[in-house]
Amino acid sequence: MGMNLQWYPGHMTKAKRAMEDSIKLVDVIVEIRDARLPYSSANPDLAGMGKGKKRILVLNKTDLADPRETEKWMAHFRAQEIIPLAMDARKRGDCSDILRQLNELAAEKKAKDLKRGIKNRPARLMIAGIPNVGKSTLINSLAGRASTKTGDKPGVTRGLQWIRLNASLELLDTPGILWPRFEDESVGLKLALMGAIREEVLPAEELALAGMKMLQERYPQALTDKYGIAGDVSPASLTELAEKQGLLQKGAEPDTARAAARFLDDLKKGRLGRITLESPDSGEE
Ligand code: G4P
């Protein structure tokens, strides 16, 4: 299985440097991960880069994830003294939880600054995560409530804008983009299945079959419930799916390419149910 991700060392070095520069400006890092892949959507270097900063971990897209698995992951992160939040970044209502948490951190910072005799300024935060986890969506949801841009400031890279969320919180309007643990092939596969990376890790039909197998292992009923396909997944499963879904080519031949595309789209959009592809107890993270 060959991976073909567009993350070359040069890009990575540049992205990492940009991230390190931004991190210097903030007090709090809000890391977003995909709740369907809490391990695979993580960036392994962020903990090191964000040393000494407060960290909030958002499990986003929980509307698509298995609620029982999300609970397990939340407990897992709490035990590591990471502050986890589960949400749907598109819902402004879900932002009140994160704002409450951020206000608490801002109050802690204020108390600390006062003790040290430092003039208090608002706590600054940035949103970071791998592509497509919902960074821009969360920024928009948070900013939509109270969008006062504070403008460029001396000493801050031109173009960086702070959005004032309230008297004690400022949000960097540019998200920190991180790369996934792409050296691990199963991570790339799962990210592609969830639509987190657009790069083709595998030809569509192979990707679909790998996805069907993975789904069957974790949710044995899902394929039967949705498509009426029973039995173990094999290359013939795509033919069966094409027939069941009426995806036929000229001459009534089953169209396995369209069947693969149908399955991948259904999986990504949650039409096969709310699924999570990894658990904290399976040795992941
Ligand atoms: P990014 O900045 O981290 O790259 O991600 P962005 O906010 O652009 O979000 C990527 C896609 O995910 C968007 O869909 C967005 O609407 C969707 N999204 C964000 N948060 C949630 C969530 O909590 N639940 C669900 N179901 N979707 C969420 P899009 O623009 O339609 O792109 P795509 O889905 O076609 O990739």
Side-chain angles (χ1 to χ4, degrees), residues 60-61 63-64 88-90 131-137 198:
N60 193 37
K61 307 200 184 186
D63 54 303
L64 297 170
D88 175 344
R90 297 166 308 169
N132 218 31
V133 284
K135 297 181 294 300
S136 313
T137 307
R198 288 177 206 287

Side-chain angles (χ1 to χ4, degrees), residues 29-230:
I29 301 167
V30 176
E31 182 195 359
I32 310 193
R33 296 193 199 172
D34 189 319
R36 298 166 298 174
L37 297 169
Y39 168 79
S40 293
S41 60
N43 170 282
D45 297 321
L46 186 62
M49 282 196 276
K51 243 198 180 104
K53 307 284 177 181
K54 297 277 183 198
R55 241 171 98 203
I56 292 180
L57 181 57
V58 169
L59 292 179
N60 193 37
K61 307 200 184 186
T62 44
D63 54 303
L64 297 170
D66 180 338
R68 275 175 307 177
E69 293 291 335
T70 301
E71 258 324 299
K72 280 194 215 163
W73 278 103
M74 294 286 282
H76 170 79
F77 289 124
R78 279 191 205 105
Q80 294 181 10
E81 295 183 43
I82 295 170
I83 306 170
L85 284 167
M87 70 185 298
D88 175 344
R90 297 166 308 169
K91 291 199 184 140
R92 286 220 186 136
D94 277 22
C95 289
S96 46
D97 282 349
I98 192 170
L99 271 175
R100 198 175 318 119
Q101 202 66 62
L102 288 166
N103 283 329
E104 256 173 54
L105 294 179
E108 275 172 33
K109 175 187 171 305
K110 192 173 181 178
K112 215 162 150 194
D113 285 354
L114 271 175
K115 234 194 236 162
R116 288 186 185 153
I118 302 169
K119 192 172 165 260
N120 184 252
R121 57 161 180 79
R124 289 179 164 173
L125 63 127
M126 75 179 296
I127 312 269
I130 68 165
N132 218 31
V133 284
K135 297 181 294 300
S136 313
T137 307
L138 181 58
I139 289 176
N140 288 337
S141 291
L142 283 170
R145 309 180 137 237
S147 158
T148 322
K149 295 219 171 175
T150 57
D152 289 332
K153 295 220 172 120
V156 173
T157 315
R158 235 171 49 125
L160 285 188
Q161 297 265 347
W162 295 94
I163 301 164
R164 177 155 291 200
L165 300 181
N166 59 40
S168 52
L169 284 174
E170 283 182 6
L171 166 66
L172 191 62
D173 80 342
T174 323
I177 301 171
L178 302 164
W179 53 97
R181 238 178 266 266
F182 61 93
E183 70 284 351
D184 180 334
E185 288 191 350
S186 86
V187 167
L189 176 65
K190 288 188 259 185
L191 289 171
L193 287 170
M194 295 299 107
I197 52 177
R198 288 177 206 287
E199 281 88 348
E200 281 177 18
V201 294
L202 281 177
E205 292 188 32
E206 278 176 56
L207 182 65
L209 279 173
M212 287 168 89
K213 277 198 191 122
M214 209 178 270
L215 181 66
Q216 192 170 59
E217 265 166 40
R218 292 184 62 88
Y219 299 92
Q221 277 303 311
L223 291 171
T224 313
D225 290 349
K226 173 78 180 160
Y227 304 125
I229 293 181

